[in-house]
Amino acid sequence: VTLVAVSKTFDADAIWPVVEAGQRVFGENRVQEAMGKWPGMRARCADPLEVHLIGPLQSNKVKEAVATFDVIQTVDREKIASALAREMTRQNRHLPCYVQVNTGNEPQKAGLPPEHTAIFVRNCRDIHQLNIVGLMCIPPFDEDPAPHFQLLRRLADETGLPVRSMGMSADYAVAIAEGATHVRVGSAIFGARG
Ligand SMILES: *Cc1c(COP(=O)(O)O)cnc(C)c1O
């Protein structure tokens, strides 16, 4: 299981000890914030660092996102898929992408309805030639996460995708038991966010 250390809101001084301890994969949820932190961190580290976008992506930030991140975990609509594809071709940076699924069908939450996942994944690949390798979800915070993780696993199996990004500080152990390949852990590593 790959640990994605979620460093959002923490500055370079707080993140660097985690890099020094050997962590190489990180998650950020804002494009602008990541642009300010990671070029310097990459320059300081002899090994390649892998930075994942785990927050919502707006069309007007696609260019910066493709230049800044190594993996986009939050592809969830046609407009963003086509903008990403265009920009990846322009920059010749063909990043692995995950599709975000709104497993709880929460109206305020990003992600695709579960029943639209298969057709969306197919369109991303066939129409846009995006390199979709997995699915990600954020279960409703007040529910047992296990059924949501099971749903994501089933959808990934049905669409033939090897990567399942699920589980955060409070529930990563459950997610791993349910087949997570990537867990996104922030506060359990960095402490509470201000
Ligand atoms: C902030 C965030 C996390 C990490 O949450 P913690 O509870 O601090 O571990 C994981 N995934 C996403 C999408 C996030 O925005």
Side-chain angles (χ1 to χ4, degrees), residues 6 8 29 54 136 138 168-169 184-187 193:
V6 177
K8 66 187 185 197
N29 70 339
I54 61 167
M136 84 84 103
I138 310 169
M168 322 201 302
S169 292
R184 309 177 309 269
V185 178
S187 46
R193 287 177 292 273

Side-chain angles (χ1 to χ4, degrees), residues 27-83:
E28 291 280 348
N29 70 339
R30 288 169 187 273
V31 177
Q32 211 70 30
E33 184 185 338
M35 285 171 69
K37 291 194 280 197
W38 289 97
M41 216 93 71
R42 291 186 202 273
R44 269 169 91 180
C45 186
D47 296 334
L49 298 173
E50 191 178 294
V51 186
H52 293 220
L53 177 63
I54 61 167
L57 180 56
Q58 310 302 328
S59 311
N60 62 351
K61 294 278 168 58
V62 163
K63 182 177 171 185
E64 288 84 357
V66 170
T68 303
F69 291 96
D70 304 291
V71 175
I72 309 287
Q73 292 207 7
T74 53
V75 181
D76 69 351
R77 56 198 192 279
E78 195 61 34
K79 191 179 172 199
I80 283 295
S82 89

Side-chain angles (χ1 to χ4, degrees), residues 67-132:
T68 303
F69 291 96
D70 304 291
V71 175
I72 309 287
Q73 292 207 7
T74 53
V75 181
D76 69 351
R77 56 198 192 279
E78 195 61 34
K79 191 179 172 199
I80 283 295
S82 89
L84 279 170
R86 220 176 314 117
E87 193 55 36
M88 287 183 193
T89 300
R90 214 182 59 80
Q91 295 186 29
N92 195 24
R93 262 177 74 75
H94 297 278
L95 310 181
C97 296
Y98 312 168
V99 166
Q100 183 174 354
V101 183
N102 185 359
T103 57
N105 276 311
E106 295 173 279
Q108 80 288 2
K109 196 167 269 177
L112 208 65
E115 65 274 19
H116 296 170
T117 305
I119 180 81
F120 182 72
V121 168
R122 190 154 4 105
N123 287 346
C124 283
R125 288 173 153 173
D126 296 352
I127 300 175
H128 303 299
Q129 278 83 48
L130 276 184
N131 181 20
I132 305 289

